[in-house]
């Protein structure tokens, strides 16, 4: 089912949003506030915090998709573990706008935005909660 673009590169398949990330962070409410500043997140729902300031559920909308997060609950078998082995990828139309907002908010630049071998502009970031983010601006057809 692969097709080629006018430049002879293989066309990328469409992104489907039926699977969404649900991450555990140390400070879900703080992370949600940070994601509003860095990535334009909108809060869809939040479970009020417990007496320790933790919440079991935050639902955000970012760039037309959902992201869910919660605090760790070690007493219920869910300790906080350092993030590794994944990144959250934002596919955006204007990477410069998204990138600048995230950097101003305080993300760490891991890999600056560059034109990649597949034609897209791409870069990697890490937020203050240890979550890796990637941004991708698809190459314009034509």
């Amino acid at each position: 089912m692969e097709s080629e673009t006018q430049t002879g590169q293989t066309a990328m398949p469409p992104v489907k949003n039926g699977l969404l990330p649900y991450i555990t962070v140390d400070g879900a409410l703080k992370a949600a506030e940070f994601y509003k500043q860095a990535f334009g997140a909108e809060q869809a729902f939040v479970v009020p915090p417990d007496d320790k300031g933790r919440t079991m559920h935050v639902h955000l909308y970012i760039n037309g998709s959902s992201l869910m997060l919660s605090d760790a609950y070690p007493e219920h078998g869910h300790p906080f573990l350092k993030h590794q082995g994944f990144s959250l990828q934002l596919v955006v139309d204007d990477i410069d706008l998204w990138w600048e907002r995230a950097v101003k908010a305080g993300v760490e630049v891991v890999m600056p935005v560059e034109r990649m071998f597949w034609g897209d502009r791409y870069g990697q970031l890490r937020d203050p909660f240890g979550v890796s983010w990637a941004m991708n601006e698809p190459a314009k057809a034509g």
Side-chain angles (χ1 to χ4, degrees):
M1 288 212 104
E2 292 181 358
S3 63
E4 290 192 6
T5 64
Q6 291 179 348
T7 62
Q9 294 179 327
T10 301
M12 299 301 286
V15 174
K16 297 181 180 181
N17 294 320
L19 175 68
L20 64 99
Y22 201 122
I23 60 174
T24 300
V25 294
D26 186 13
L29 296 173
K30 288 179 184 175
E33 287 303 312
F34 180 81
Y35 295 159
K36 288 177 186 178
Q37 298 299 312
F39 304 115
E42 299 173 42
Q43 185 173 292
F45 183 79
V46 64
V47 171
D50 65 12
D51 58 350
K52 295 180 181 175
R54 303 174 302 180
T55 183
M56 62 185 295
H57 182 71
V58 177
H59 182 174
L60 302 174
Y61 295 133
I62 301 176
N63 194 33
S65 294
S66 291
L67 171 65
M68 296 183 184
L69 50 148
S70 71
D71 283 292
Y73 286 83
E75 69 274 24
H76 296 293
H78 299 282
F80 179 74
L81 302 173
K82 182 179 176 185
H83 300 286
Q84 59 186 9
F86 75 93
S87 66
L88 302 178
Q89 181 158 312
L90 286 166
V91 179
V92 297
D93 289 333
D94 184 349
I95 198 168
D96 297 317
L97 176 97
W98 283 81
W99 190 267
E100 183 178 325
R101 177 177 54 196
V103 170
K104 278 185 181 177
V107 298
E108 171 192 353
V109 175
V110 175
M111 183 179 126
V113 174
E114 295 179 30
R115 176 92 42 210
M116 303 309 289
F117 67 90
W118 62 85
D120 296 355
R121 293 182 67 215
Y122 175 87
Q124 296 176 355
L125 307 160
R126 184 172 296 107
D127 72 32
F129 302 89
V131 178
S132 295
W133 293 76
M135 285 192 195
N136 191 86
E137 179 186 279
K140 309 294 186 247

